[in-house]
Amino acid sequence: SVPFSQYIFFIMNVASLHVTLQQSFSPDANLRGPAELTIRNLKHVRGATVMLLQVAAEKQVQYEVRQAAAIQLKNVCRECWIERVSVMGYSQADGSESQKPPVLAEEDKDAVRITLVEALMAEHEKSVRDLLAETLHSIAIHDFPEKWPSLIPTLLNTISLNSDPSKALAVHNALLALRKVCKRYEYKSKEQRGPLNEIVIKSFPLLLPLAQRLSDPSCNSLEGAMMLKQIMKIFWSSTQFYLPGGDGKTPSPALSNPDALKPWFDILCSALSKPLPEASTGLPPRDQPTSIEDRNAWPWWKVKKWAVQIMSRLFSRYGIPQYAEEEVKDFAKHFSQNVATQMLQPVCETLNLRPSGQFCTDRVVHLCLTYVDLAIDLAPTYKMLKPHMDFLLYKVCFPTMCLTPEDIATFEND
């Protein structure tokens, strides 16, 4: 008899895979059951990952089918890209060949690496785009940089097209992919951050002028906000534990020249200070949502959230020089004397939004209060805060702690 996986290989092509994915949604168990069985066994079929990617990337295919294909692609790549081993270094299989998780063929991996980047650059549906980006992240964990040296040059080449408005989608998606690669090294030790430092050296000269343009008060498009958010997430992944460039051998350029990061600090302050008027005013950026849920997800509020989150993290690491690590004490002194006070002004302006009758998301208020909490321990920032303590306590903190009618309704009804 022919093994099931080989049988699938004989009959499977992109068209039949499309039908199988459609049938997996069928209310008819006679259609749904075999389709689900076929999908579970796709990991055994050579070429299945490429076909899944073709279905996921095809704009003419039904959205739910594209999403299902992207989910299966992510799962297969995550499970079968390399042989799975335990923390002790042993194979997770029980020794039986039939029980060993399959490993994708090298030609399939090569095809996926090439086609995945192309598909991601052109994807406009958020759900499918995010799934493809997660697939790229899971592959980069194993293959970057040794087996995927073309990845960063390809992404940076796309980002370099940012002056062309018709390339806005591709630029945003390239920034998303770049952030996924940086995230791979976010929690690594100094000695393991070599590839991330290389990415910073190559990408930051390209990202900085783009971020400066997008954070300018004249930039009000949602596409610009989405790109700026991704750049901030890249900056976060590159800096939240160590200043970029420090690999244990070569110190970070920011340690020898603290002003090297000043343009980035200016971007953070500009982003947090940006006015976001109500949609009813007709002022840019236009069409701010009215529901709380939609406001929380609005790209311009996301930009503010990432800006103040980065500020708070920088303050927690470098705001109090006596608590800083020895190698960063000089940078910490510069930060505490020059940068912390600069950032405090837009933080306090943001905290004044609600008392003045304007909207601010809960997350942004929380992160601004986190910054203020840190600033109280530093003499220069405390001197700035001291004259405004009544405002902070009675106009910001106390109303934040009080129950709102919505809180009471939720408590009583839920």
Side-chain angles (χ1 to χ4, degrees):
S1 62
V2 179
F4 185 75
S5 61
Q6 292 185 23
Y7 175 70
I8 296 177
F9 177 74
F10 292 145
I11 67 169
M12 183 63 67
N13 54 44
V14 175
S16 60
L17 176 59
H18 176 248
V19 172
T20 298
L21 290 166
Q22 278 185 317
Q23 290 176 341
S24 68
F25 296 102
S26 174
D28 184 349
N30 292 323
L31 293 175
R32 188 178 64 254
E36 290 175 345
L37 178 61
T38 300
I39 291 170
R40 283 197 298 272
N41 282 276
L42 284 176
K43 59 188 177 183
H44 298 281
V45 181
R46 179 165 292 189
T49 49
V50 179
M51 289 187 287
L52 284 168
L53 187 50
Q54 288 176 315
V55 174
E58 178 52 60
K59 305 300 186 292
Q60 301 302 317
V61 171
Q62 180 184 353
Y63 168 73
E64 290 78 10
V65 174
R66 295 181 61 214
Q67 188 178 48
I71 291 171
Q72 292 305 317
L73 175 68
K74 182 195 72 170
N75 292 342
V76 171
C77 288
R78 181 173 291 177
E79 180 183 356
C80 305
W81 200 261
I82 63 170
E83 183 178 0
R84 300 171 70 86
V85 296
S86 69
V87 293
M88 299 299 293
Y90 301 109
S91 172
Q92 292 184 354
D94 62 3
S96 169
E97 287 294 325
S98 63
Q99 295 296 320
K100 283 185 178 181
V103 177
L104 296 178
E106 288 301 322
E107 51 265 38
D108 282 356
K109 294 181 183 180
D110 291 340
V112 168
R113 280 190 291 260
I114 295 171
T115 315
L116 176 61
V117 175
E118 296 174 356
L120 178 55
M121 295 305 98
E123 186 51 58
H124 64 279
E125 290 285 356
K126 183 179 186 305
S127 176
V128 177
R129 179 174 66 220
D130 289 347
L131 288 164
L132 295 179
E134 281 301 316
T135 303
L136 183 144
H137 178 243
S138 67
I139 295 172
I141 289 174
H142 304 298
D143 286 10
F144 180 82
E146 289 81 5
K147 296 182 180 179
W148 209 351
S150 64
L151 177 58
I152 298 302
T154 300
L155 298 180
L156 295 183
N157 182 63
T158 302
I159 294 170
S160 70
L161 306 175
N162 61 78
S163 60
D164 183 351
S166 67
K167 301 294 184 182
L169 176 66
V171 171
H172 169 269
N173 293 356
L175 290 167
L176 171 63
L178 182 60
R179 198 274 166 145
K180 292 296 182 181
V181 180
C182 292
K183 192 176 180 180
R184 155 93 171 83
Y185 299 95
E186 190 169 325
Y187 300 103
K188 296 294 186 181
S189 66
K190 293 179 186 178
E191 293 73 24
Q192 296 176 304
R193 291 166 69 89
L196 178 59
N197 294 325
E198 287 295 320
I199 292 173
V200 169
I201 291 170
K202 294 176 181 177
S203 67
F204 273 33
L206 184 62
L207 298 181
L208 177 58
L210 176 57
Q212 289 172 322
R213 175 163 63 85
L214 297 174
S215 62
D216 187 90
S218 63
C219 179
N220 295 298
S221 69
L222 286 185
E223 293 83 2
M226 293 170 65
M227 286 189 273
L228 184 56
K229 181 188 76 170
Q230 293 301 335
I231 293 174
M232 288 190 175
K233 293 170 78 170
I234 292 168
F235 188 84
W236 166 267
S237 292
S238 303
T239 62
Q240 73 151 320
F241 287 115
Y242 302 100
L243 293 173
D247 57 4
K249 298 178 181 178
T250 305
S252 167
L255 296 182
S256 57
N257 179 21
D259 283 331
L261 288 178
K262 185 180 186 304
W264 288 101
F265 299 153
D266 292 341
I267 289 168
L268 298 176
C269 292
S270 177
L272 187 58
S273 299
K274 186 179 184 68
L276 300 180
E278 296 291 334
S280 59
T281 66
L283 298 173
R286 295 181 173 86
D287 302 323
Q288 178 172 182
T290 55
S291 74
I292 300 297
E293 183 178 355
D294 290 340
R295 287 183 195 249
N296 288 334
W298 201 45
W300 281 115
W301 280 115
K302 288 289 189 179
V303 166
K304 286 181 178 285
K305 173 255 182 183
W306 278 102
V308 69
Q309 180 169 310
I310 293 169
M311 290 177 178
S312 296
R313 175 51 65 96
L314 289 170
F315 201 131
S316 69
R317 291 193 63 82
Y318 310 111
I320 312 296
Q322 59 264 38
Y323 297 154
E325 296 176 1
E326 189 61 36
E327 66 174 2
V328 300
K329 280 191 180 296
D330 288 342
F331 177 83
K333 290 177 182 177
H334 172 84
F335 184 92
S336 63
Q337 294 169 5
N338 300 280
V339 183
T341 51
Q342 175 195 2
M343 291 180 171
L344 184 59
Q345 181 174 344
V347 167
C348 290
E349 290 173 353
T350 303
L351 288 175
N352 188 44
L353 290 175
R354 288 185 177 181
S356 62
Q358 301 176 67
F359 176 81
C360 187
T361 66
D362 287 343
R363 183 62 173 150
V364 170
V365 170
H366 167 247
L367 288 166
C368 286
L369 288 173
T370 299
Y371 190 94
V372 169
D373 180 44
L374 294 164
I376 290 172
D377 290 334
L378 180 66
T381 47
Y382 178 71
K383 289 178 182 178
M384 293 178 64
L385 287 171
K386 190 174 181 180
H388 308 287
M389 281 299 174
D390 283 353
F391 163 77
L392 287 169
L393 290 173
Y394 299 115
K395 297 293 186 181
V396 178
C397 295
F398 183 71
T400 300
M401 293 186 292
C402 288
L403 289 175
T404 64
E406 292 78 12
D407 293 331
I408 295 171
T410 301
F411 179 80
E412 292 177 345
N413 298 327
D414 293 350

